[in-house]
Amino acid sequence: MSLTIYSTLSGKKEVFEPREPGKIGLYVCGITVYDYCHIGHARVLVAFDVMSRFLRSQQWNVNYVRNITDIDDKIIDRAADNGERYTDLTSRYIEFMHEDERALGILPPDTEPRATAHIDDIIAMIETLIEKGYAYSASNGDVYYRVSRFADYGKLTNKDPEQLLAGARVEVDSAKEDPRDFALWKFAAEADVGWISPFGRGRPGWHIECSAMSKACLGAHFDIHGGGPDLPFPHHENEIAQSEAANGCQYANYWMHAGAVRLDGEKMSKSLGNFFTIRDVLKQYHAEVVRYLLISSHYRSPINYSEENLVEAKAGLDRLYNALRGYESVAATSLEELAGNEFYKKFVAAMNDDFNTRVALAVMFDLVRALNSAKGKQEAEPLVAELKAMGQLLGLFGSAPDDFLQSAGESDLAAETVEALIAERAQAKRDKNFARADEVRDQLLAAGILLEDSAEGTKWRRDA
């Protein structure tokens, strides 16, 4: 089955056609590093992590580039508020970002360019835009992009420039030729953060950074550009205008945007002050539960962040892990061996259909039902191996089943306490003190501990 992708540019699903056979150049707008990453960031990071994992499993040669914005007004302002150098601030939050990514099982991109390492590329692109008449130096020392010069401005969001102006949050600035024009280079005094350029001392605007970094890493024209739900306008419209004007060719063939994370129906964002950082959430929930929540919906669909949905995600992941219990020694089937398997073919079909993880997970639950009906280990083990292989493509099953099912939150009974109570219950049963055995079971149940007795002994897990 061919890979189909929904492109924001066309507003429909398209059969993916690579620029080079078997190869995919993927650029994703990354984090502006001045604070901890929140769950909205995690949505984007996990979505494109799943995509790159799957594409590679299907023998695509993926060059995944995800940038870091390490120079920006917010960064400079936060560093000034803290009384520290901006480089110290960004270094600290880059490490925090990497810690969060590792916790969520997000693999690093192939290349992670930083804006400050590409100042020469940024200056060169601005020079080209000035030479071609698409940019101009203003009286205030800034350099602006001349929006009226680019005939296709607004094609990504399918609105004309006049409509886009209403949502642009354009500041009144008499130095601009047109209120819609945006900064490519911002003047910086000697005491401020800045670099020397042919158009004066300053620093780059946000939009030009990605145009320069993507070109440096993937070339002027590449396959897929991705990002979060808040980026189509103005950031990605401006990237297109800059890049296509400077380079004289199409910028990216496909544009992909992850859906928003909402809290009580409102978009979650730092500007609204209603966001949860990844590390705060991970204090209460296992990282795989958070990852599962983020892939349980299609990547383009909005997700409502709530305790109820996290509990539901925990329950779903419990079912998958519970099916693997007792099969810890069974290895995941190699993808070559899976090629003809019916469950795997359905899984691949779902993922080839614009990375539909919701349907892919449904296939995995169909497989669990078949596994639960299997007669004996000989019939069950191939199904377990297939389930593990699918889970790994989604970045799941990073823990042993018991480790996951028995993992504790801050307020839960410690595993050692649970084990001691189970041992006490077993001794009470041997002593025929069934009243005490029942008391212990009820005590554990009240603490959210479910017991499963069998001939091999008692297994336990925490209730979702």
Side-chain angles (χ1 to χ4, degrees), residues 149-291:
R149 179 82 166 74
F150 188 69
D152 286 338
Y153 192 80
K155 67 180 178 179
L156 180 66
T157 47
N158 199 29
K159 295 178 182 177
D160 65 50
E162 292 301 324
Q163 289 177 300
L164 290 172
L165 181 59
R169 297 177 294 180
V170 174
E171 297 176 5
V172 176
D173 190 338
S174 59
K176 292 182 180 181
E177 294 178 354
D178 186 317
R180 297 169 298 182
D181 295 349
F182 56 89
L184 301 172
W185 190 257
K186 298 184 177 183
F187 169 79
E190 286 298 325
D192 298 329
V193 176
W195 290 263
I196 300 299
S197 80
F199 17 90
R201 191 173 187 280
R203 60 179 183 78
W206 175 36
H207 313 300
I208 194 68
E209 294 175 355
C210 283
S211 287
M213 285 186 282
S214 60
K215 181 179 181 181
C217 297
L218 294 173
H221 181 199
F222 54 92
D223 296 291
I224 302 171
H225 195 311
D230 54 337
L231 296 183
F233 183 81
H235 186 50
H236 287 162
E237 288 287 9
N238 292 350
E239 277 191 64
I240 290 171
Q242 296 161 162
S243 297
E244 296 191 357
N247 301 326
C249 62
Q250 184 171 349
Y251 183 32
N253 288 350
Y254 304 87
W255 288 82
M256 303 179 71
H257 295 93
V261 177
R262 302 188 179 278
L263 180 66
D264 297 326
E266 273 197 323
K267 175 189 169 186
M268 187 184 293
S269 72
K270 288 180 179 177
S271 60
L272 295 174
N274 65 346
F275 67 95
F276 291 87
T277 67
I278 294 171
R279 52 193 53 214
D280 282 345
V281 175
L282 296 186
K283 290 176 183 176
Q284 300 181 57
Y285 290 92
H286 193 286
E288 271 197 38
V289 172
V290 178
R291 185 180 178 99

